[in-house]
Short mmCIF file of all heavy atoms in Angstrom, two decimals:
data_model
loop_
_atom_site.label_atom_id
_atom_site.label_comp_id
_atom_site.label_asym_id
_atom_site.label_seq_id
_atom_site.Cartn_x
_atom_site.Cartn_y
_atom_site.Cartn_z
N MET B 1 3.58 -10.22 -9.05
CA MET B 1 2.18 -9.91 -8.82
C MET B 1 1.96 -8.43 -9.05
O MET B 1 2.74 -7.60 -8.53
CB MET B 1 1.86 -10.31 -7.36
CG MET B 1 0.59 -9.73 -6.82
SD MET B 1 0.26 -10.19 -5.11
CE MET B 1 -1.16 -11.17 -5.35
N ASN B 2 0.95 -8.07 -9.77
CA ASN B 2 0.59 -6.65 -10.00
C ASN B 2 -0.50 -6.26 -9.00
O ASN B 2 -1.48 -6.99 -8.82
CB ASN B 2 0.07 -6.45 -11.41
CG ASN B 2 1.20 -6.60 -12.40
OD1 ASN B 2 2.33 -6.28 -12.13
ND2 ASN B 2 0.87 -7.08 -13.61
N VAL B 3 -0.30 -5.10 -8.37
CA VAL B 3 -1.26 -4.60 -7.39
C VAL B 3 -1.61 -3.16 -7.75
O VAL B 3 -0.72 -2.35 -7.94
CB VAL B 3 -0.67 -4.66 -5.96
CG1 VAL B 3 -1.71 -4.15 -4.95
CG2 VAL B 3 -0.22 -6.04 -5.61
N THR B 4 -2.89 -2.86 -7.85
CA THR B 4 -3.37 -1.51 -8.07
C THR B 4 -3.45 -0.80 -6.73
O THR B 4 -4.14 -1.31 -5.83
CB THR B 4 -4.71 -1.50 -8.80
OG1 THR B 4 -4.55 -2.19 -10.03
CG2 THR B 4 -5.20 -0.08 -9.06
N CYS B 5 -2.79 0.35 -6.59
CA CYS B 5 -2.74 1.09 -5.33
C CYS B 5 -3.37 2.46 -5.56
O CYS B 5 -2.87 3.30 -6.32
CB CYS B 5 -1.30 1.28 -4.90
SG CYS B 5 -0.39 -0.27 -4.70
N GLU B 6 -4.47 2.67 -4.84
CA GLU B 6 -5.10 3.99 -4.88
C GLU B 6 -4.57 4.78 -3.68
O GLU B 6 -4.89 4.45 -2.53
CB GLU B 6 -6.60 3.88 -4.79
CG GLU B 6 -7.31 5.22 -4.74
CD GLU B 6 -8.78 5.13 -4.33
OE1 GLU B 6 -9.33 4.00 -4.27
OE2 GLU B 6 -9.38 6.17 -4.08
N VAL B 7 -3.80 5.85 -3.93
CA VAL B 7 -3.31 6.72 -2.89
C VAL B 7 -4.37 7.78 -2.70
O VAL B 7 -4.63 8.59 -3.59
CB VAL B 7 -1.92 7.33 -3.25
CG1 VAL B 7 -1.47 8.21 -2.09
CG2 VAL B 7 -0.95 6.21 -3.55
N VAL B 8 -5.02 7.84 -1.52
CA VAL B 8 -6.11 8.71 -1.26
C VAL B 8 -5.70 10.18 -1.50
O VAL B 8 -4.68 10.64 -1.00
CB VAL B 8 -6.62 8.55 0.19
CG1 VAL B 8 -7.73 9.57 0.48
CG2 VAL B 8 -7.14 7.14 0.37
N GLY B 9 -6.47 10.88 -2.30
CA GLY B 9 -6.23 12.30 -2.61
C GLY B 9 -5.14 12.52 -3.62
O GLY B 9 -4.79 13.68 -3.89
N GLU B 10 -4.60 11.46 -4.20
CA GLU B 10 -3.52 11.64 -5.14
C GLU B 10 -3.78 10.83 -6.39
O GLU B 10 -4.70 11.15 -7.12
CB GLU B 10 -2.16 11.31 -4.48
CG GLU B 10 -1.81 12.28 -3.36
CD GLU B 10 -0.48 12.05 -2.75
OE1 GLU B 10 0.38 11.46 -3.41
OE2 GLU B 10 -0.29 12.46 -1.61
N GLU B 11 -3.05 9.76 -6.63
CA GLU B 11 -3.22 9.02 -7.84
C GLU B 11 -3.44 7.55 -7.60
O GLU B 11 -3.19 7.05 -6.49
CB GLU B 11 -1.97 9.22 -8.72
CG GLU B 11 -0.69 8.67 -8.09
CD GLU B 11 0.54 8.96 -8.88
OE1 GLU B 11 0.45 9.69 -9.87
OE2 GLU B 11 1.59 8.47 -8.50
N THR B 12 -3.84 6.87 -8.67
CA THR B 12 -3.91 5.40 -8.62
C THR B 12 -2.84 4.88 -9.55
O THR B 12 -2.69 5.36 -10.67
CB THR B 12 -5.29 4.93 -9.07
OG1 THR B 12 -6.28 5.45 -8.20
CG2 THR B 12 -5.39 3.42 -9.09
N THR B 13 -2.08 3.91 -9.06
CA THR B 13 -0.98 3.35 -9.83
C THR B 13 -0.92 1.85 -9.66
O THR B 13 -1.43 1.34 -8.69
CB THR B 13 0.39 3.98 -9.42
OG1 THR B 13 1.40 3.53 -10.29
CG2 THR B 13 0.71 3.66 -8.00
N THR B 14 -0.38 1.19 -10.63
CA THR B 14 -0.18 -0.27 -10.53
C THR B 14 1.28 -0.56 -10.41
O THR B 14 2.10 -0.04 -11.20
CB THR B 14 -0.79 -0.96 -11.76
OG1 THR B 14 -2.18 -0.68 -11.86
CG2 THR B 14 -0.61 -2.47 -11.68
N VAL B 15 1.65 -1.37 -9.43
CA VAL B 15 3.05 -1.71 -9.20
C VAL B 15 3.18 -3.23 -9.21
O VAL B 15 2.22 -3.95 -8.94
CB VAL B 15 3.56 -1.15 -7.86
CG1 VAL B 15 3.57 0.34 -7.88
CG2 VAL B 15 2.77 -1.66 -6.67
N SER B 16 4.39 -3.68 -9.50
CA SER B 16 4.69 -5.11 -9.50
C SER B 16 5.50 -5.40 -8.23
O SER B 16 6.46 -4.69 -7.94
CB SER B 16 5.50 -5.51 -10.72
OG SER B 16 4.70 -5.42 -11.88
N VAL B 17 5.12 -6.44 -7.51
CA VAL B 17 5.87 -6.86 -6.32
C VAL B 17 6.06 -8.38 -6.41
O VAL B 17 5.38 -9.09 -7.15
CB VAL B 17 5.11 -6.51 -5.01
CG1 VAL B 17 5.06 -5.00 -4.79
CG2 VAL B 17 3.71 -7.10 -4.96
N ALA B 18 7.03 -8.84 -5.68
CA ALA B 18 7.33 -10.29 -5.68
C ALA B 18 6.18 -11.07 -5.08
O ALA B 18 5.37 -10.51 -4.32
CB ALA B 18 8.58 -10.54 -4.86
N ALA B 19 6.10 -12.34 -5.42
CA ALA B 19 4.98 -13.19 -4.93
C ALA B 19 4.99 -13.29 -3.43
O ALA B 19 3.94 -13.49 -2.80
CB ALA B 19 5.10 -14.59 -5.55
N ASP B 20 6.13 -13.15 -2.77
CA ASP B 20 6.24 -13.25 -1.30
C ASP B 20 6.30 -11.87 -0.64
O ASP B 20 6.72 -11.76 0.51
CB ASP B 20 7.41 -14.09 -0.90
CG ASP B 20 8.76 -13.51 -1.36
OD1 ASP B 20 8.79 -12.57 -2.20
OD2 ASP B 20 9.82 -13.95 -0.85
N ALA B 21 5.90 -10.82 -1.33
CA ALA B 21 6.00 -9.43 -0.80
C ALA B 21 5.06 -9.23 0.38
O ALA B 21 4.00 -9.83 0.46
CB ALA B 21 5.67 -8.42 -1.90
N THR B 22 5.48 -8.32 1.28
CA THR B 22 4.62 -7.87 2.38
C THR B 22 4.01 -6.54 2.02
O THR B 22 4.43 -5.90 1.06
CB THR B 22 5.45 -7.74 3.67
OG1 THR B 22 6.41 -6.70 3.51
CG2 THR B 22 6.13 -9.05 4.06
N TYR B 23 3.13 -6.05 2.85
CA TYR B 23 2.56 -4.73 2.62
C TYR B 23 3.58 -3.62 2.80
O TYR B 23 3.47 -2.58 2.14
CB TYR B 23 1.32 -4.51 3.47
CG TYR B 23 0.16 -5.34 2.96
CD1 TYR B 23 -0.26 -6.50 3.62
CD2 TYR B 23 -0.54 -4.97 1.82
CE1 TYR B 23 -1.29 -7.27 3.11
CE2 TYR B 23 -1.59 -5.75 1.32
CZ TYR B 23 -1.95 -6.90 1.98
OH TYR B 23 -2.96 -7.66 1.48
N ALA B 24 4.60 -3.86 3.62
CA ALA B 24 5.70 -2.90 3.73
C ALA B 24 6.44 -2.79 2.40
O ALA B 24 6.78 -1.67 1.96
CB ALA B 24 6.65 -3.26 4.87
N ASP B 25 6.66 -3.94 1.76
CA ASP B 25 7.30 -3.93 0.43
C ASP B 25 6.43 -3.17 -0.57
O ASP B 25 6.97 -2.42 -1.42
CB ASP B 25 7.53 -5.35 -0.06
CG ASP B 25 8.48 -6.16 0.84
OD1 ASP B 25 9.41 -5.58 1.41
OD2 ASP B 25 8.24 -7.40 0.95
N LEU B 26 5.17 -3.34 -0.49
CA LEU B 26 4.21 -2.66 -1.38
C LEU B 26 4.27 -1.15 -1.17
O LEU B 26 4.32 -0.40 -2.13
CB LEU B 26 2.81 -3.19 -1.15
CG LEU B 26 1.74 -2.60 -2.04
CD1 LEU B 26 1.96 -2.91 -3.49
CD2 LEU B 26 0.36 -3.11 -1.62
N CYS B 27 4.33 -0.72 0.09
CA CYS B 27 4.46 0.72 0.39
C CYS B 27 5.70 1.29 -0.30
O CYS B 27 5.62 2.35 -0.92
CB CYS B 27 4.57 0.97 1.90
SG CYS B 27 3.12 0.54 2.83
N ARG B 28 6.82 0.58 -0.15
CA ARG B 28 8.06 1.06 -0.74
C ARG B 28 7.99 1.10 -2.25
O ARG B 28 8.50 2.02 -2.90
CB ARG B 28 9.22 0.18 -0.29
CG ARG B 28 9.55 0.39 1.19
CD ARG B 28 10.77 -0.43 1.60
NE ARG B 28 10.86 -0.48 3.04
CZ ARG B 28 10.38 -1.51 3.76
NH1 ARG B 28 9.81 -2.57 3.18
NH2 ARG B 28 10.49 -1.49 5.07
N ALA B 29 7.29 0.16 -2.85
CA ALA B 29 7.14 0.11 -4.32
C ALA B 29 6.33 1.28 -4.83
O ALA B 29 6.53 1.75 -5.92
CB ALA B 29 6.45 -1.21 -4.74
N VAL B 30 5.43 1.80 -3.98
CA VAL B 30 4.64 2.96 -4.36
C VAL B 30 5.40 4.27 -4.11
O VAL B 30 5.04 5.32 -4.62
CB VAL B 30 3.27 2.97 -3.61
CG1 VAL B 30 2.41 4.18 -3.92
CG2 VAL B 30 2.50 1.70 -3.93
N GLY B 31 6.46 4.15 -3.28
CA GLY B 31 7.29 5.35 -3.03
C GLY B 31 7.14 5.93 -1.64
O GLY B 31 7.58 7.05 -1.38
N TYR B 32 6.54 5.18 -0.71
CA TYR B 32 6.36 5.67 0.66
C TYR B 32 7.00 4.73 1.66
O TYR B 32 7.12 3.51 1.41
CB TYR B 32 4.87 5.77 0.97
CG TYR B 32 4.16 6.76 0.05
CD1 TYR B 32 3.29 6.32 -0.90
CD2 TYR B 32 4.37 8.11 0.21
CE1 TYR B 32 2.65 7.20 -1.74
CE2 TYR B 32 3.73 9.01 -0.62
CZ TYR B 32 2.88 8.57 -1.58
OH TYR B 32 2.25 9.47 -2.42
N SER B 33 7.33 5.27 2.81
CA SER B 33 7.78 4.47 3.92
C SER B 33 6.58 3.84 4.59
O SER B 33 5.51 4.50 4.68
CB SER B 33 8.52 5.33 4.93
OG SER B 33 8.62 4.70 6.15
N PRO B 34 6.67 2.61 5.09
CA PRO B 34 5.55 2.02 5.82
C PRO B 34 5.17 2.84 7.07
O PRO B 34 4.07 2.64 7.61
CB PRO B 34 6.05 0.62 6.21
CG PRO B 34 7.26 0.39 5.41
CD PRO B 34 7.78 1.69 4.99
N HIS B 35 6.05 3.72 7.52
CA HIS B 35 5.76 4.56 8.71
C HIS B 35 4.91 5.78 8.41
O HIS B 35 4.38 6.39 9.32
CB HIS B 35 7.07 4.98 9.39
CG HIS B 35 7.93 3.82 9.74
ND1 HIS B 35 7.63 2.98 10.79
CD2 HIS B 35 9.05 3.33 9.19
CE1 HIS B 35 8.56 2.05 10.88
NE2 HIS B 35 9.44 2.21 9.91
N GLU B 36 4.80 6.10 7.11
CA GLU B 36 4.02 7.30 6.77
C GLU B 36 2.67 6.99 6.13
O GLU B 36 1.91 7.92 5.82
CB GLU B 36 4.85 8.22 5.85
CG GLU B 36 5.14 7.70 4.48
CD GLU B 36 5.97 8.63 3.64
OE1 GLU B 36 5.64 9.84 3.52
OE2 GLU B 36 7.01 8.19 3.09
N VAL B 37 2.37 5.72 5.94
CA VAL B 37 1.10 5.34 5.30
C VAL B 37 0.47 4.14 6.03
O VAL B 37 1.13 3.43 6.76
CB VAL B 37 1.24 4.97 3.80
CG1 VAL B 37 1.76 6.12 3.00
CG2 VAL B 37 2.14 3.75 3.64
N THR B 38 -0.82 3.96 5.81
CA THR B 38 -1.54 2.76 6.20
C THR B 38 -2.13 2.18 4.98
O THR B 38 -2.70 2.88 4.15
CB THR B 38 -2.64 3.12 7.23
OG1 THR B 38 -2.07 3.61 8.40
CG2 THR B 38 -3.51 1.88 7.56
N VAL B 39 -2.01 0.89 4.82
CA VAL B 39 -2.60 0.18 3.70
C VAL B 39 -3.92 -0.43 4.12
O VAL B 39 -4.01 -1.05 5.17
CB VAL B 39 -1.65 -0.94 3.18
CG1 VAL B 39 -2.30 -1.67 2.01
CG2 VAL B 39 -0.30 -0.33 2.74
N LEU B 40 -4.94 -0.18 3.30
CA LEU B 40 -6.30 -0.69 3.58
C LEU B 40 -6.70 -1.69 2.52
O LEU B 40 -6.47 -1.45 1.32
CB LEU B 40 -7.32 0.45 3.59
CG LEU B 40 -7.02 1.65 4.49
CD1 LEU B 40 -8.00 2.77 4.22
CD2 LEU B 40 -7.08 1.26 5.96
N VAL B 41 -7.23 -2.81 2.96
CA VAL B 41 -7.78 -3.79 2.05
C VAL B 41 -9.27 -3.92 2.38
O VAL B 41 -9.58 -4.22 3.53
CB VAL B 41 -7.09 -5.15 2.17
CG1 VAL B 41 -7.80 -6.19 1.32
CG2 VAL B 41 -5.64 -5.05 1.80
N ASP B 42 -10.15 -3.57 1.45
CA ASP B 42 -11.60 -3.57 1.72
C ASP B 42 -11.89 -2.70 2.93
O ASP B 42 -12.66 -3.09 3.80
CB ASP B 42 -12.13 -5.00 1.91
CG ASP B 42 -11.99 -5.85 0.69
OD1 ASP B 42 -12.08 -5.29 -0.45
OD2 ASP B 42 -11.79 -7.03 0.84
N GLU B 43 -11.26 -1.50 2.98
CA GLU B 43 -11.45 -0.50 4.03
C GLU B 43 -11.00 -0.94 5.40
O GLU B 43 -11.33 -0.28 6.41
CB GLU B 43 -12.93 -0.04 4.04
CG GLU B 43 -13.39 0.59 2.74
CD GLU B 43 -14.80 1.06 2.79
OE1 GLU B 43 -15.39 1.20 3.89
OE2 GLU B 43 -15.35 1.30 1.71
N THR B 44 -10.21 -2.01 5.50
CA THR B 44 -9.67 -2.47 6.77
C THR B 44 -8.15 -2.37 6.75
O THR B 44 -7.54 -2.88 5.81
CB THR B 44 -10.11 -3.94 7.00
OG1 THR B 44 -11.52 -4.00 6.97
CG2 THR B 44 -9.60 -4.46 8.35
N PRO B 45 -7.52 -1.79 7.78
CA PRO B 45 -6.07 -1.72 7.80
C PRO B 45 -5.46 -3.12 7.91
O PRO B 45 -5.99 -4.00 8.52
CB PRO B 45 -5.77 -0.91 9.06
CG PRO B 45 -7.06 -0.32 9.50
CD PRO B 45 -8.14 -1.12 8.90
N VAL B 46 -4.29 -3.25 7.26
CA VAL B 46 -3.57 -4.52 7.31
C VAL B 46 -2.21 -4.28 7.92
O VAL B 46 -1.64 -3.18 7.79
CB VAL B 46 -3.42 -5.19 5.92
CG1 VAL B 46 -4.80 -5.65 5.41
CG2 VAL B 46 -2.79 -4.24 4.92
N ALA B 47 -1.63 -5.28 8.52
CA ALA B 47 -0.30 -5.19 9.14
C ALA B 47 0.76 -5.11 8.07
O ALA B 47 0.67 -5.76 7.04
CB ALA B 47 -0.05 -6.42 10.02
N GLU B 48 1.79 -4.30 8.29
CA GLU B 48 2.81 -4.09 7.29
C GLU B 48 3.63 -5.34 7.04
O GLU B 48 4.22 -5.50 5.98
CB GLU B 48 3.72 -2.93 7.62
CG GLU B 48 4.57 -3.14 8.85
CD GLU B 48 5.41 -1.92 9.21
OE1 GLU B 48 4.87 -0.84 9.33
OE2 GLU B 48 6.63 -2.12 9.34
N ASP B 49 3.67 -6.28 7.98
CA ASP B 49 4.45 -7.50 7.79
C ASP B 49 3.61 -8.66 7.28
O ASP B 49 4.14 -9.76 7.07
CB ASP B 49 5.15 -7.91 9.07
CG ASP B 49 4.20 -8.21 10.21
OD1 ASP B 49 3.00 -7.88 10.11
OD2 ASP B 49 4.64 -8.75 11.23
N ALA B 50 2.35 -8.40 6.97
CA ALA B 50 1.47 -9.46 6.39
C ALA B 50 1.79 -9.59 4.87
O ALA B 50 2.12 -8.63 4.24
CB ALA B 50 -0.01 -9.09 6.59
N PRO B 51 1.61 -10.81 4.36
CA PRO B 51 1.85 -10.97 2.92
C PRO B 51 0.74 -10.35 2.09
O PRO B 51 -0.42 -10.36 2.48
CB PRO B 51 1.85 -12.52 2.78
CG PRO B 51 1.06 -13.04 3.93
CD PRO B 51 1.26 -12.04 5.04
N VAL B 52 1.12 -9.83 0.95
CA VAL B 52 0.12 -9.23 0.04
C VAL B 52 -0.73 -10.36 -0.57
O VAL B 52 -0.17 -11.27 -1.18
CB VAL B 52 0.83 -8.44 -1.09
CG1 VAL B 52 -0.20 -7.88 -2.08
CG2 VAL B 52 1.66 -7.30 -0.49
N GLU B 53 -2.01 -10.26 -0.39
CA GLU B 53 -2.93 -11.33 -0.88
C GLU B 53 -4.06 -10.81 -1.69
O GLU B 53 -5.08 -11.44 -1.84
CB GLU B 53 -3.48 -12.09 0.31
CG GLU B 53 -2.42 -12.80 1.12
CD GLU B 53 -2.93 -13.52 2.35
OE1 GLU B 53 -4.03 -13.15 2.85
OE2 GLU B 53 -2.30 -14.48 2.79
N THR B 54 -3.90 -9.58 -2.22
CA THR B 54 -5.00 -8.98 -3.00
C THR B 54 -4.35 -8.20 -4.18
O THR B 54 -3.16 -7.93 -4.17
CB THR B 54 -5.80 -8.02 -2.11
OG1 THR B 54 -6.93 -7.50 -2.87
CG2 THR B 54 -5.01 -6.85 -1.62
N ASP B 55 -5.17 -7.86 -5.14
CA ASP B 55 -4.63 -7.14 -6.30
C ASP B 55 -5.04 -5.67 -6.31
O ASP B 55 -4.78 -4.94 -7.26
CB ASP B 55 -5.06 -7.83 -7.61
CG ASP B 55 -6.56 -7.78 -7.84
OD1 ASP B 55 -7.30 -7.45 -6.90
OD2 ASP B 55 -7.00 -8.15 -8.95
N ARG B 56 -5.72 -5.20 -5.26
CA ARG B 56 -6.15 -3.82 -5.15
C ARG B 56 -6.12 -3.38 -3.70
O ARG B 56 -6.71 -4.04 -2.85
CB ARG B 56 -7.52 -3.63 -5.73
CG ARG B 56 -7.97 -2.17 -5.82
CD ARG B 56 -9.20 -2.03 -6.68
NE ARG B 56 -9.48 -0.62 -6.90
CZ ARG B 56 -8.93 0.16 -7.83
NH1 ARG B 56 -8.04 -0.38 -8.63
NH2 ARG B 56 -9.22 1.40 -7.94
N VAL B 57 -5.48 -2.21 -3.42
CA VAL B 57 -5.39 -1.67 -2.07
C VAL B 57 -5.62 -0.19 -2.11
O VAL B 57 -5.49 0.46 -3.16
CB VAL B 57 -4.05 -1.96 -1.37
CG1 VAL B 57 -3.81 -3.45 -1.27
CG2 VAL B 57 -2.93 -1.28 -2.08
N THR B 58 -5.95 0.37 -0.93
CA THR B 58 -6.02 1.80 -0.76
C THR B 58 -4.87 2.21 0.15
O THR B 58 -4.68 1.53 1.17
CB THR B 58 -7.33 2.22 -0.13
OG1 THR B 58 -8.43 1.81 -1.00
CG2 THR B 58 -7.44 3.73 0.04
N VAL B 59 -4.11 3.23 -0.22
CA VAL B 59 -2.99 3.70 0.59
C VAL B 59 -3.39 5.04 1.17
O VAL B 59 -3.69 5.99 0.43
CB VAL B 59 -1.71 3.81 -0.24
CG1 VAL B 59 -0.56 4.36 0.62
CG2 VAL B 59 -1.34 2.46 -0.87
N LEU B 60 -3.40 5.13 2.49
CA LEU B 60 -3.79 6.36 3.20
C LEU B 60 -2.54 6.99 3.80
O LEU B 60 -1.90 6.36 4.69
CB LEU B 60 -4.80 6.02 4.31
CG LEU B 60 -5.31 7.19 5.16
CD1 LEU B 60 -6.01 8.22 4.29
CD2 LEU B 60 -6.21 6.65 6.24
N ARG B 61 -2.20 8.16 3.31
CA ARG B 61 -0.98 8.84 3.85
C ARG B 61 -1.32 9.43 5.19
O ARG B 61 -2.30 10.17 5.38
CB ARG B 61 -0.57 9.97 2.88
CG ARG B 61 0.09 9.41 1.65
CD ARG B 61 0.67 10.43 0.76
NE ARG B 61 1.83 11.01 1.44
CZ ARG B 61 2.49 12.05 0.93
NH1 ARG B 61 2.15 12.58 -0.22
NH2 ARG B 61 3.56 12.51 1.55
N LEU B 62 -0.49 9.15 6.18
CA LEU B 62 -0.63 9.67 7.54
C LEU B 62 0.25 10.84 7.80
O LEU B 62 -0.07 11.69 8.63
CB LEU B 62 -0.33 8.53 8.57
CG LEU B 62 -1.10 7.24 8.40
CD1 LEU B 62 -0.56 6.17 9.36
CD2 LEU B 62 -2.57 7.46 8.62
N VAL B 63 1.37 10.91 7.10
CA VAL B 63 2.34 11.96 7.25
C VAL B 63 2.60 12.59 5.89
O VAL B 63 2.79 11.86 4.91
CB VAL B 63 3.67 11.40 7.83
CG1 VAL B 63 4.69 12.52 7.94
CG2 VAL B 63 3.46 10.74 9.15
N LYS B 64 2.53 13.89 5.82
CA LYS B 64 2.79 14.59 4.55
C LYS B 64 3.61 15.84 4.85
O LYS B 64 3.28 16.58 5.79
CB LYS B 64 1.48 14.94 3.89
CG LYS B 64 1.64 15.46 2.46
CD LYS B 64 0.32 15.60 1.79
CE LYS B 64 0.51 16.03 0.34
NZ LYS B 64 -0.76 16.06 -0.37
N GLY B 65 4.61 16.04 4.07
CA GLY B 65 5.45 17.26 4.28
C GLY B 65 6.62 16.92 5.21
O GLY B 65 6.93 15.79 5.48
N GLY B 66 7.25 17.96 5.72
CA GLY B 66 8.43 17.70 6.57
C GLY B 66 8.67 18.71 7.56
O GLY B 66 8.31 19.27 8.38
#
């Protein structure tokens, strides 16, 4: 499944994830830990263990830097 991920303030990218992927898997595919971002679907946060059921998400970084 291809999912377009808009990372707020950065870039928009399309990643491929397995048909049974969760939003945590999607975060990792974009290059982030599920602990440092929140995934939004239609401006609503989704649980990281929920299955991916859309082809477009917004990724909001909560932690940046170190």
Side-chain angles (χ1 to χ4, degrees):
M1 162 182 247
N2 291 328
V3 181
T4 302
C5 303
E6 176 192 351
V7 181
V8 176
E10 295 184 23
E11 62 185 6
T12 299
T13 187
T14 300
V15 296
S16 292
V17 294
D20 62 346
T22 64
Y23 287 104
D25 298 326
L26 181 63
C27 293
R28 290 184 195 95
V30 178
Y32 299 108
S33 162
H35 303 288
E36 67 181 309
V37 298
T38 295
V39 177
L40 307 171
V41 175
D42 296 327
E43 300 182 15
T44 302
V46 292
E48 66 182 53
D49 61 348
V52 176
E53 298 177 335
T54 185
D55 64 350
R56 186 167 188 84
V57 300
T58 301
V59 178
L60 178 61
R61 287 188 68 186
L62 305 173
V63 177
K64 189 172 183 175

